[in-house]
Amino acid sequence: MDQEKQLWDLICRHLSEELSPVIMKTWFDDISILSLTGDTLILYTPSAFKRPVIIERFLPSLQKTLLALLGGEYTVLLSDSPALETVATADQPGAGPYFEQYSFTNFVVGNSNKFAHAAAMAVANDAHKKNNVNNPLLLYGCPGLGKTHLLYAIMNEVKKNHPHMSVRAVTAENFTNEIIDAIHTKKNTEFRKRYRTLDMLLIDDIQFLGKTDRAQEEFFNTFNDLHSISSYIVATSDRPPSDLPLLQERLRNRLEMGWAFDIQPPDYETRVAIVKNKAANLGLHIPDDVAFYIADSIHANVRQLEGAVKKIMGYQSLMGLPPTLDTAEKAIADLFSENPGLNPSADHIIREVCRFYGVDEHELKGSSRRAKVVLARHTAIYLVHTLMDTSKTAIGSIFKRDHTTIMHALNQVDARRASDAAAVKEIDTIIRNIRG
Ligand code: ADP
Ligand code: MG
């Protein structure tokens, strides 16, 4: 018996302690393991009918089982294709890994993402009409804020409601690799057939579209062909189109033709809702004070919020620790020690700001009135305030300034951000540098 089969048997045996034999037979009988790598388990699940049900009803049990058996938090993907190679490069349009766990239903909507969410829903509902309105749709924002989630939510919704449509999702990186491959193996015609007849193309992380002219050329032509037959194109990117320096001008113009929405880091209420939602999906009950504590500690990234919940789940399943404040504190300390940029210190922020503006750290904390130093100082104060959740008095003592000066600095940066798009970009870049 091969290893995958043995592991799957083991998983099923464990699952059947919790689920009845009838359920096991009905839902798990025809599943097999395609791959287990890093923290991802891909299961071949041939039945299109069963996949969404398994995800909705049994994913928590599966994840709990994996945690118990393998001691880690695994992402479970259900694939409609029996072989990994065809998952990556299948010739039939529409083939590809299913990320069915990403849906509109399990996407928590808040102020920071409501426009992106609404646009994604509108596209999912309208794509079959082929009316070419607001085509393409670009969703952009910092990592971990739900762009890929929305991309697959659109795909899943379209596939569910219009199974005849040929829809394909691909990362810009894989798209580039497929082009290079097609050129090497002289299969350009197949490549074009695969892409240029689609009803919908979703392309993730477009900032990684190959720098080569050839990749951009192919994408540009694919884009034009699809647009001319009113097929929808959805793209995501970690920054606005105007800020994608590697993209050829004409490609950027094409992207700017359509709809572009950004996703901001979630506010406090949304973070609490996300924590509760993620815990519920894992079958974990998190008391309010613990949810508040997590939402208070992690600001910038939904993936990390999710990471904290999974860690707490891990502590519970592996060590029998209940999800209390103590456990949450431990889980978050763990998370922060794995990602220092998540919870940056004032020193770290000041260092990055100085590096960005080419200013000396002593000068920044000193009394220089040079324009560049003042700008860097204001920005550093603003970022310590935004990223660290410290009181203004504490910020005052870090920068050796009184309360009025701190308030003045914060107002200056707010005003600059409100009136100058370049300033917003500049500060976003520094934040990205800080987060590493
Ligand atoms: P991005 O593509 O922007 O880097 P992802 O879409 O991969 O981010 O999101 C990271 C994780 O956070 C995913 O597991 C996703 O399900 C989750 N996530 C992000 N935003 C939300 C949201 N609003 N509601 C629920 N889960 C979310
Ligand atoms: Mg992504």
Side-chain angles (χ1 to χ4, degrees):
M1 205 169 16
D2 60 26
Q3 286 195 41
E4 280 81 10
K5 176 97 183 56
Q6 290 186 51
L7 177 60
W8 183 242
D9 282 353
L10 198 64
I11 291 173
C12 287
R13 232 176 302 143
H14 201 274
L15 273 175
S16 52
E17 288 168 17
E18 185 183 335
L19 307 172
S20 76
V22 176
I23 288 189
M24 289 305 299
K25 178 126 195 60
T26 315
W27 299 101
F28 293 96
D29 221 26
D30 54 355
I31 295 182
S32 55
I33 293 184
L34 268 184
S35 86
L36 176 73
T37 46
D39 58 358
T40 306
L41 172 73
I42 305 183
L43 299 175
Y44 170 44
T45 320
S47 158
F49 160 71
K50 288 185 194 173
R51 280 192 297 268
V53 182
I54 293 173
I55 287 176
E56 202 172 314
R57 287 182 49 192
F58 303 119
L59 210 55
S61 309
L62 254 171
Q63 267 157 346
K64 247 188 286 177
T65 299
L66 292 170
L67 198 60
L69 291 177
L70 306 172
E73 297 119 12
Y74 282 82
T75 301
V76 180
L77 303 177
L78 303 187
S79 169
D80 61 333
S81 159
L84 272 184
E85 300 78 66
T86 52
V87 170
T89 59
D91 272 351
Q92 330 88 291
Y98 271 98
F99 289 99
E100 271 179 63
Q101 72 269 37
Y102 293 147
S103 68
F104 286 116
T105 332
N106 61 18
F107 188 82
V108 178
V109 184
N111 280 328
S112 57
N113 58 26
K114 62 183 176 198
F115 292 112
H117 171 262
M121 292 268 271
V123 167
N125 289 330
D126 276 1
H128 69 286
K129 295 185 193 151
K130 298 239 168 183
N131 55 13
N132 234 353
V133 177
N134 303 315
N135 186 12
L137 167 68
L138 176 73
L139 304 172
Y140 65 92
C142 290
L145 295 182
K147 302 180 296 293
T148 300
H149 188 132
L150 282 179
L151 185 99
Y152 280 97
I154 297 175
M155 171 157 168
N156 292 331
E157 189 72 12
V158 171
K159 277 180 171 260
K160 187 174 76 191
N161 296 332
H162 307 283
H164 61 279
M165 282 177 70
S166 60
V167 182
R168 188 178 181 99
V170 65
T171 61
E173 205 181 349
N174 281 347
F175 182 85
T176 307
N177 290 340
E178 283 182 47
I179 292 167
I180 296 170
D181 225 41
I183 296 169
H184 280 316
T185 53
K186 304 207 169 14
K187 293 208 169 129
N188 302 19
T189 324
E190 281 92 333
F191 176 84
R192 286 182 190 148
K193 246 203 317 232
R194 194 185 308 153
Y195 277 98
R196 298 202 190 164
T197 53
L198 290 172
D199 291 315
M200 183 177 218
L201 172 64
L202 305 109
I203 180 156
D204 204 10
D205 284 325
I206 200 158
Q207 74 273 12
F208 294 131
L209 193 66
K211 288 173 233 178
T212 58
D213 282 349
R214 196 58 195 267
Q216 301 227 353
E217 176 85 22
E218 270 312 322
F219 183 63
F220 184 76
N221 293 333
T222 306
F223 187 106
N224 282 345
D225 279 6
L226 291 179
H227 200 268
S228 71
I229 54 170
S230 302
S231 291
Y232 234 101
I233 296 130
V234 178
T236 70
S237 147
D238 68 348
R239 58 203 83 175
S242 55
D243 221 18
L244 286 162
L246 295 176
L247 227 52
Q248 291 171 352
E249 188 62 29
R250 53 183 193 161
L251 202 48
R252 207 167 25 237
N253 291 341
R254 278 283 183 279
L255 284 173
E256 283 171 341
M257 240 164 48
W259 246 359
F261 286 94
D262 72 331
I263 307 185
Q264 291 288 324
D267 56 23
Y268 179 74
E269 282 73 26
T270 315
R271 296 200 297 277
V272 173
I274 289 172
V275 167
K276 292 190 166 174
N277 175 286
K278 296 291 172 190
N281 286 343
L282 289 171
L284 177 74
H285 173 74
I286 285 199
D288 275 353
D289 60 338
V290 175
F292 297 158
Y293 174 76
I294 301 172
D296 243 344
S297 312
I298 298 174
H299 297 231
N301 187 317
V302 178
R303 188 174 291 122
Q304 307 297 347
L305 283 174
E306 201 173 2
V309 175
K310 283 183 178 168
K311 276 206 184 297
I312 293 173
M313 172 87 190
Y315 280 129
Q316 169 159 315
S317 318
L318 295 176
M319 295 180 238
L321 293 176
T324 58
L325 270 180
D326 265 1
T327 314
E329 229 171 276
K330 257 202 259 310
I332 286 172
D334 254 20
L335 210 62
F336 285 165
S337 69
E338 287 160 17
N339 313 274
L342 256 187
N343 189 26
S345 63
D347 282 348
H348 182 57
I349 294 172
I350 292 169
R351 202 175 319 124
E352 284 302 331
V353 170
C354 287
R355 199 168 63 84
F356 184 86
Y357 290 109
V359 165
D360 185 82
E361 285 181 38
H362 289 292
E363 248 187 316
L364 186 136
K365 287 192 182 170
S367 54
S368 164
R369 301 296 312 155
R370 269 202 311 136
K372 200 159 88 168
V373 178
V374 173
L375 174 65
R377 187 180 297 135
H378 286 173
T379 308
I381 292 173
Y382 173 86
L383 287 175
V384 167
H385 175 68
T386 321
L387 302 178
M388 282 185 58
D389 213 20
T390 359
S391 72
K392 301 209 175 66
T393 323
I395 300 177
S397 63
I398 294 169
F399 290 91
K400 305 192 191 75
R401 262 49 195 188
D402 62 18
H403 187 263
T404 327
T405 317
I406 299 297
M407 288 310 294
H408 172 71
L410 295 177
N411 291 337
Q412 288 290 33
V413 177
D414 276 337
R416 221 181 130 230
R417 281 171 58 90
S419 63
D420 180 3
V424 176
K425 245 189 261 175
E426 203 171 285
I427 290 172
D428 278 353
T429 307
I430 303 173
I431 294 180
R432 258 200 293 273
N433 294 344
I434 292 170
R435 300 236 182 262

